[in-house]
Amino acid sequence: MGIIHVSELVKDFRRPKRIKGALGGLRTLVTRESVIKRAVDGIDFTVDEGEFLGYLGPNGAGKSTTIKMMTGILQPTSGKIEVAGIVPWRERQRNALNIGVVFGQKSQLWWDLPLRESLQIIGKLYAIDPARHRANVDWFVELLDLDPFFDTPVRQLSLGQRVRGDLAAAMLPEPRILFLDEPTIGLDVVAKERIRGFLSALNREAGTTVVLTTHDLDDVERLCRRIILIDGGKVTYDGDVESLKSRFVQQRRLVVKLAAGVEWRGVGIPGVAESIGDEAVELAFDPAEIQVSELITAVLADHQLTDVAIVEPELENVVHRIYASAGMA
């Protein structure tokens, strides 16, 4: 059942028309002429409860604007949004009780207080039962490894530590939905892995619906079962990662390693591109035309192998190719 419904969503931003020439800056300030920029242009989608959705697009595509409308920060120009049965911008306080939000470069923690005290204050603000508060904090301390800096003032935390603290703060009231806008931007590999593990456990064990916007496609491939691609404020793809790869990538690769002393004799199948390296042979093929089993059988017929692997295309390469073909890169 859908927990988020977005229908014909439009968001326009109006700004004064920039006037060039002498005293252009001053004339721009006083002009009544304006320019309308459409950031979101008729978007439709539904998110089911418990989904982990990747919401992707190039800079300026409308991702953050959509998130801000779903969280109630912005009011749509037209169209409809319902989040857990609530119109976010009309009932911001009720909506806030159902959602958690983490923006990668902004914090909801108290700058001069230790992380422990920030979480205590949030518990009071949301009137969380003390026993439940302790249980949640203990769980987050374990999953996010907060203990080494739990009593450190937020201003002294590294970016990765602060983001982990923000995730704990966002989930402390047990919201049904978590919105994440670039949560791993600027983080090192260790911090990213810790956050990915937390989000996966949260979605799996607590059933939290997660909507993630990010440029780190490793996050998407590791976490998201469904992705929506947008450009120019419009949805260009809505489906799973594997279907996206199948739709936009026409080739797969089979990598084989020959046994010692074995020479490569080729496979003799039209449409297979062979690339012979020092340690392995790479075979590129169109899976719509050639079956993997057929190709492996042909290789084994004339060669003794020590290893064979099918290399799937990486999501990052697929998305970059889509952006480039559409002039988005």
Side-chain angles (χ1 to χ4, degrees):
M1 181 178 179
I3 193 170
I4 300 174
H5 297 277
V6 175
S7 176
E8 299 180 0
L9 186 65
V10 173
K11 180 60 181 178
D12 293 333
F13 291 100
R14 186 184 298 270
R15 59 179 177 81
K17 183 177 180 180
R18 185 173 181 81
I19 300 174
K20 299 180 180 179
L23 301 178
L26 179 60
R27 293 166 63 193
T28 296
L29 289 175
V30 299
T31 183
R32 295 185 178 180
E33 295 183 72
S34 61
V35 176
I36 295 176
K37 167 67 175 177
R38 179 153 291 183
V40 174
D41 190 7
I43 283 177
D44 297 274
F45 62 83
T46 296
V47 181
D48 289 335
E49 189 153 15
E51 266 200 280
F52 204 128
L53 172 70
Y55 194 60
L56 313 179
N59 290 330
K63 306 185 301 298
S64 294
T65 301
T66 308
I67 294 291
K68 288 175 182 177
M69 287 188 283
M70 289 191 288
T71 57
I73 296 173
L74 292 178
Q75 178 179 342
T77 302
S78 63
K80 298 180 180 179
I81 302 178
E82 283 192 2
V83 177
I86 297 170
V87 178
W89 59 272
R90 285 181 181 160
E91 300 182 81
R92 291 186 63 178
Q93 189 170 356
R94 281 188 64 205
N95 187 56
L97 295 174
N98 281 325
I99 67 172
V101 182
V102 176
F103 293 97
Q105 296 298 318
K106 298 178 182 178
S107 180
Q108 58 189 308
L109 302 171
W110 280 262
W111 196 244
D112 291 316
L113 295 180
L115 177 56
R116 181 192 300 275
E117 293 185 22
S118 284
L119 297 184
Q120 288 174 347
I121 292 173
I122 290 170
K124 297 292 185 183
L125 289 174
Y126 283 89
I128 302 172
D129 176 77
R132 193 65 199 160
H133 181 273
R134 285 194 299 272
N136 285 341
V137 168
D138 288 345
W139 190 44
F140 299 151
V141 166
E142 179 183 357
L143 281 178
L144 290 166
D145 192 24
L146 303 180
D147 197 55
F149 52 89
F150 203 39
D151 291 303
T152 303
V154 171
R155 58 184 165 78
Q156 295 179 10
L157 300 182
S158 68
L159 177 60
Q161 291 170 337
R162 198 263 297 158
V163 171
R164 283 146 65 186
D166 273 317
L167 280 170
M171 291 309 304
L172 198 58
E174 300 180 345
R176 297 171 64 187
I177 307 160
L178 177 61
F179 293 103
L180 302 168
D181 192 2
E182 300 287 356
T184 61
I185 188 169
L187 303 188
D188 60 37
V189 174
V190 175
K192 285 182 180 182
E193 283 302 313
R194 179 68 66 176
I195 288 171
R196 287 169 184 162
F198 172 74
L199 295 175
S200 179
L202 193 70
N203 178 248
R204 182 180 63 253
E205 298 176 23
T208 306
T209 304
V210 183
V211 179
L212 168 69
T213 74
T214 181
H215 284 94
D216 191 330
L217 296 177
D218 283 341
D219 289 347
V220 177
E221 197 150 21
R222 294 275 298 276
L223 296 169
C224 301
R225 293 185 290 275
R226 173 188 171 199
I227 59 176
I228 294 177
L229 285 176
I230 68 167
D231 176 53
K234 296 179 181 290
V235 173
T236 58
Y237 176 82
D238 184 348
D240 62 68
V241 174
E242 292 307 315
S243 295
L244 180 69
K245 292 178 179 179
S246 299
R247 177 176 170 183
F248 290 98
V249 178
Q250 284 72 48
Q251 285 196 332
R252 296 290 190 276
R253 292 180 296 144
L254 181 72
V255 178
V256 297
K257 290 186 178 181
L258 303 175
V262 174
E263 293 185 2
W264 179 251
R265 302 182 183 87
V267 291
I269 299 177
V272 176
E274 302 178 2
S275 178
I276 304 173
D278 293 336
E279 298 183 356
V281 177
E282 185 175 293
L283 306 173
F285 64 100
D286 184 346
E289 302 292 334
I290 301 169
Q291 297 292 321
V292 175
S293 57
E294 174 190 356
L295 185 56
I296 293 176
T297 300
V299 172
L300 289 173
D302 288 324
H303 307 87
Q304 185 178 354
L305 307 179
T306 60
D307 194 17
V308 59
I310 299 171
V311 180
E312 294 292 333
E314 294 182 354
L315 178 61
E316 183 171 5
N317 294 333
V318 176
V319 173
H320 285 172
R321 190 173 303 171
I322 295 168
Y323 290 171
S325 65
M328 296 184 257

